[in-house]
Amino acid sequence: MFFILTAGLALWIVAHVFKRVAPEARASLGDAGRGIVTAALVVSLGLMIWGYRGTDFIHVWAPPAFMVHINNLLMLIAVFLFGLSATTGSLRGKMRHPQLTSVMVWAVAHLLVNGDLASILLFGTLLIWAVLEVVLINRAEEWQRPEPGDPKRNVILFAITIVVFVVVTALHAWLGVWPFPG
């Protein structure tokens, strides 16, 4: 199953990095390229989930119990950062790569509470990928900071952050992973 997990991670990275590393080849695919990349990402997610869930537990380290609290705080921050990319409030444009930063925070949070080899491979690789993406994007594109919007819209971002965090923790619990100290 490590092979399936690794194949999913490799496909994820190739599908995302393709546009940055080979822009001419990606442009030559036209609109069909979007479909190909989308299909590759869906397949890669399936492979990562299948491989991760099916891999035998190989103990590497035992995280201390208090890390669960840090994980949950970081996850709340990760959800907020992801939402920051879509906000129309005054926080808009405060950060260049809120989604990729969210992935970095998410990956670190999960590395803090998962001490098995599959988790280290999955979350560590996605952390490295997100850092690589930021570097590639910064080299390839000039950033035009968007104008901040109405500060009242920030309240919506905070409310959505809480709702999404609750839904994510409920999904974890439903899948059999209790995300709180127990």
Side-chain angles (χ1 to χ4, degrees):
M1 286 302 201
F2 268 107
F3 174 76
I4 294 170
L5 174 58
T6 305
L9 287 164
L11 184 57
W12 175 269
I13 292 168
V14 168
H16 277 93
V17 173
F18 178 58
K19 175 182 176 182
R20 307 282 172 215
V21 175
E24 296 84 20
R26 170 57 187 94
S28 71
L29 295 173
D31 287 339
R34 284 191 152 170
I36 294 167
V37 169
T38 300
L41 292 174
V42 169
V43 169
S44 72
L45 280 171
L47 290 172
M48 285 188 279
I49 293 167
W50 181 27
Y52 181 74
R53 299 214 22 122
T55 299
D56 291 332
F57 184 87
I58 299 173
H59 178 80
V60 177
W61 74 292
F66 73 86
M67 287 294 186
V68 174
H69 299 293
I70 296 170
N71 168 275
N72 287 333
L73 175 60
L74 289 174
M75 285 307 303
L76 190 60
I77 293 167
V79 171
F80 173 80
L81 289 172
F82 200 86
L84 194 59
S85 68
T87 188
T88 57
S90 63
L91 296 174
R92 181 175 158 197
K94 295 291 184 191
M95 178 180 286
R96 179 163 184 188
H97 303 287
Q99 287 182 346
L100 289 168
T101 304
S102 172
V103 171
M104 290 180 219
V105 172
W106 167 84
V108 168
H110 282 77
L111 285 168
L112 292 176
V113 294
N114 293 287
D116 62 294
L117 187 58
S119 294
I120 293 168
L121 177 63
L122 175 65
F123 302 116
T125 302
L126 290 175
L127 173 61
I128 293 166
W129 161 77
V131 171
L132 175 66
E133 275 290 318
V134 167
V135 170
L136 290 173
I137 292 169
N138 287 347
R139 285 186 180 168
E141 299 174 3
E142 190 78 24
W143 186 43
Q144 299 297 322
R145 183 182 302 273
E147 290 295 321
D150 181 4
K152 294 176 188 173
R153 304 289 293 178
N154 295 338
V155 175
I156 295 171
L157 173 60
F158 291 121
I160 290 172
T161 296
I162 298 301
V163 170
V164 169
F165 181 77
V166 168
V167 168
V168 167
T169 57
L171 283 171
H172 276 72
W174 180 68
L175 291 170
V177 180
W178 186 245
F180 300 105

